Amino acid sequence: MTETVRLSLDEARALTVQALSNAGLSAEHCEALADTIMAGQIDECHSHGLYRVLSCVDALRRGQVNVAAVPEVLDQAPGIVRVDAKNGFSPLAFRLGLPLLQEKARTQGIAALAINNCYHFSALWPEVERIAAAGLAALAMTPSHSWVAPAGGTKPVFGTNPIAFSWPRPGPFPFVFDFATSAAARGEIELHRRAGKAIPQGWAIDGDGAPTTDAGAAMAGAMLTFGGHKGSALSAMVELMAGPLIGDLTSRESQIYDAGAGVTPRHGELLLAFDPNLLSGGRATENVERAEALFDAIIGQGARLPSQRRYEARQRSEAAGSIEIPKPLHDDLLALIA
């Protein structure tokens, strides 16, 4: 069993900020990235937690990320916000574009936020949760690098292409799902590789197109979509909606832009926000009750809602005031601040 290290939440955040700062990232970006990384770690989503600091620092050291990028917020149209991330990481661009997106959604009923020219490394649920906290429903999607083969194919075309949705609820936790259209997140396969563990069948194929449980062979071959042709179709939708629709790169184009550097994908992100009050003709209270009846019908028969595990983990982490990570990861993080 891998030895672990327990860090207080303050220690984990300070380690994250220091590692990013040592790599040359501006203070504003360090804080925005730390928010996103800590959100993943506190919810015990290890593939999107402190592990992501390593890939962020690697991208910074390779010189492809604009370490001092100041995202430009553009009021494009009554229902559209654009943010040019200026080749910087995406969390700060999202943070700066969020207020105008919320304002437009409350005015128009629906609004879109298009983030362009960003390096995106994180889960989408922290973003849609932020939108839900303002009483709005949200949908988000983004491509990545072309790591995933289409259903029936053997060569990578798609990214992991996640989709996230949030619905505001009474109480502290919204209804949220966030999943890759690949059978697993790329980070999950990498964590299996680092731990020397086999991956499940159906996650990937090797370079010859044969099914594999070897994480290293999977990384060198191609990942698979979930649900066969259904996941493949959704993945194509994400490519189009968060690529050509908003004037940004597809996963294949992001891979070409990377030119073999192997850093975090550079592309765009699309977020949509919906005002339940305007769209329901001012009957938000009535419709909240109907939504809660739906959730009760799910939970009442012993089923779980998406994100329940994350929320339970969040409560554990916050109650303990600490998180636990593998010692090899802790050693790698310490090496970044030495």
Side-chain angles (χ1 to χ4, degrees), residues 78-79 81 94-113 126-138 271-275 278:
V81 184
F94 170 75
R95 177 185 288 187
L96 295 178
L98 179 61
L100 188 54
L101 173 69
Q102 293 171 337
E103 176 186 327
K104 287 179 178 292
R106 291 194 186 99
T107 302
Q108 303 289 131
I110 181 171
L113 169 59
E127 298 172 355
V128 295
E129 273 198 42
R130 289 282 301 278
I131 297 171
L136 304 171
L271 302 105
L272 304 173
F274 310 85
D275 187 314
L278 281 180

Side-chain angles (χ1 to χ4, degrees), residues 79-153:
I80 301 173
V81 184
R82 299 179 68 89
V83 181
D84 184 349
K86 306 287 187 179
N87 291 330
F89 284 119
S90 62
L92 182 59
F94 170 75
R95 177 185 288 187
L96 295 178
L98 179 61
L100 188 54
L101 173 69
Q102 293 171 337
E103 176 186 327
K104 287 179 178 292
R106 291 194 186 99
T107 302
Q108 303 289 131
I110 181 171
L113 169 59
I115 301 176
N116 294 114
N117 306 315
C118 71
Y119 284 86
H120 196 286
F121 67 91
S122 62
L124 295 176
W125 59 258
E127 298 172 355
V128 295
E129 273 198 42
R130 289 282 301 278
I131 297 171
L136 304 171
L139 186 66
M141 60 194 76
T142 182
S144 58
H145 281 334
S146 51
W147 292 315
V148 182

Side-chain angles (χ1 to χ4, degrees), residues 40-63:
Q41 193 64 54
I42 288 170
D43 282 12
E44 297 180 4
C45 293
H46 300 291
S47 62
H48 290 84
L50 267 66
Y51 157 72
R52 293 285 170 160
V53 175
L54 305 181
S55 59
C56 289
V57 169
D58 179 67
L60 292 167
R61 287 177 170 175
R62 291 174 187 267

Side-chain angles (χ1 to χ4, degrees), residues 213-270:
T213 60
D214 181 275
M219 299 289 279
M223 300 167 66
L224 298 175
T225 59
F226 82 87
H229 67 280
K230 294 181 180 179
S232 189
L234 285 173
S235 194
M237 180 198 74
V238 172
E239 293 284 346
L240 297 170
M241 293 285 285
L245 180 69
I246 64 170
D248 220 307
L249 304 183
T250 64
S251 296
R252 293 181 70 223
E253 291 168 334
S254 176
Q255 193 83 69
I256 293 168
Y257 181 89
D258 183 71
V263 302
T264 299
R266 176 194 176 277
H267 44 69
E269 179 182 359
L270 175 65

